[in-house]
């Protein structure tokens, strides 16, 4: 599946997912959890959403920009993909990619995503 080619909806909370599912009940959906929300909601909230969306017709992507601490903290969550900023150094990105490969998590560049607001 090509995530970059599909439409991505940005969310801030769980209720946003319900709105999107009502609007597009039979469509495969890509959901991007906003960086600003993740900062104050924390990794446990992200893991809870990831568990609820596991096995559904949804790709759950978390936007972590260039926050390496959050990237490392959430590599053990059950998300489908992590979006990072292109500002991350190549050396650190290489290490993150090797860990993500073992966890079967895709690493995407935030700037390349086609984001639609709800």
């Amino acid at each position: 599946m090509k995530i970059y080619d599909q439409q991505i909806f940005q969310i801030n909370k769980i209720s946003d997912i319900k709105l999107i599912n009502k609007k597009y009940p039979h469509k495969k959906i890509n959901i991007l959890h906003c960086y600003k929300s993740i900062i104050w909601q924390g990794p446990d909230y992200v893991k809870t959403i990831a568990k609820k969306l596991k096995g559904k017709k949804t790709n759950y992507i978390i936007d972590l920009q260039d926050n390496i601490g959050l990237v490392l903290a959430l590599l053990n969550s059950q998300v489908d993909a992590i979006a990072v900023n292109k500002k991350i150094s190549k050396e650190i990105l290489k290490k993150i990619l090797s860990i993500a490969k073992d966890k079967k998590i895709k690493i995407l560049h935030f700037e390349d995503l086609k984001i639609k607001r709800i």
Side-chain angles (χ1 to χ4, degrees):
M1 178 183 63
K2 299 177 182 177
I3 291 177
Y4 286 115
D5 296 336
Q6 295 179 347
Q7 197 170 42
I8 299 170
F9 297 94
Q10 186 171 359
I11 65 158
N12 293 312
K13 55 192 177 293
I14 291 177
S15 61
D16 293 343
I17 297 170
K18 293 176 184 175
L19 288 173
I20 294 169
N21 283 332
K22 283 182 183 177
K23 195 170 184 178
Y24 303 98
H26 303 293
K27 188 176 181 182
K28 183 140 177 86
I29 299 170
N30 293 321
I31 294 177
L32 177 73
H33 198 151
C34 172
Y35 174 73
K36 292 178 182 178
S37 297
I38 293 172
I39 290 294
W40 63 269
Q41 291 166 338
D44 288 335
Y45 189 77
V46 171
K47 289 178 185 180
T48 301
I49 293 176
K51 285 179 186 177
K52 286 185 178 190
L53 294 176
K54 203 65 172 174
K56 295 190 177 184
K57 60 183 189 316
T58 305
N59 286 320
Y60 182 48
I61 306 164
I62 52 175
D63 172 18
L64 300 179
Q65 297 290 318
D66 58 351
N67 190 327
I68 297 164
L70 265 179
V71 171
L72 294 174
L74 289 169
L75 277 172
N76 285 324
S77 64
Q78 297 175 351
V79 297
D80 298 311
I82 294 175
V84 295
N85 197 312
K86 289 185 178 180
K87 294 178 184 176
I88 291 181
S89 73
K90 290 180 182 180
E91 184 178 307
I92 292 173
L93 185 59
K94 187 177 175 181
K95 292 176 183 179
I96 290 170
L97 287 170
S98 71
I99 296 169
K101 184 178 178 181
D102 291 340
K103 303 287 183 182
K104 297 180 182 171
I105 297 174
K106 296 173 187 145
I107 301 295
L108 309 171
H109 289 289
F110 179 77
E111 293 85 1
D112 297 335
L113 298 175
K114 299 173 186 175
I115 301 169
K116 182 176 181 179
R117 311 235 186 250
I118 51 171

